[in-house]
Amino acid sequence: MPKIVIQNLNNKRLFSENSGRTLLSILQENYIDWMHACGGKGRCTTCKAIVHEGLTLLGELTEAEKKYMEMGRLESNERLACQCRVSNDIEISVADENKFPHIDYTG
């Protein structure tokens, strides 16, 4: 059962009984507001997550993620929540440019 810790949301802890699902689907299942302007189709970078722990456990980069890294829109420690699949414990945070104004972020 993978555990996801969101550092800048007061270290919110989420658990998913089904590993291998996208990070975005797990966030939505747990009622976490997370930006995803393109509807989770990998066509933008608004759902990017900064990965503090477990980056290598999120699997290979998708073609969309590779494209955005080549364009300089994703850093090496960032993944698209709609593209990466969670099968192990990770620690993430919301990127500053994708924070919602109605949520009180920490750190």
Side-chain angles (χ1 to χ4, degrees):
M1 178 181 322
K3 175 178 71 171
I4 300 166
V5 176
I6 308 170
Q7 290 183 355
N8 59 353
L9 283 178
N10 296 309
N11 289 312
K12 176 84 173 162
R13 288 169 174 20
L14 310 175
F15 297 91
S16 176
E17 292 190 21
N18 301 320
S19 66
R21 295 178 42 232
T22 66
L23 174 57
L24 183 60
S25 68
I26 296 168
L27 293 166
Q28 291 174 327
E29 175 183 273
N30 286 276
Y31 305 102
I32 302 296
D33 280 342
W34 198 275
M35 178 77 72
H36 58 286
C38 73
K41 301 198 181 356
R43 296 184 184 147
C44 67
T45 58
T46 59
C47 72
K48 73 179 166 183
I50 299 168
V51 184
H52 303 286
E53 289 185 28
L55 182 66
T56 59
L57 304 173
L58 290 173
E60 298 293 320
L61 293 171
T62 64
E63 290 303 315
E65 290 174 307
K66 289 177 187 175
K67 176 180 84 172
Y68 288 118
M69 281 199 171
E70 289 170 5
M71 295 171 66
R73 293 179 59 191
L74 273 183
E75 298 295 325
S76 61
N77 67 330
E78 298 174 334
R79 295 292 301 266
L80 296 179
C82 71
Q83 298 291 298
C84 65
R85 300 198 172 269
V86 179
S87 56
N88 292 288
D89 296 353
I90 59 171
E91 286 195 27
I92 61 172
S93 61
V94 180
D96 285 341
E97 64 268 26
N98 298 332
K99 290 179 176 176
F100 284 116
H102 68 280
I103 296 177
D104 185 22
Y105 297 92
T106 58

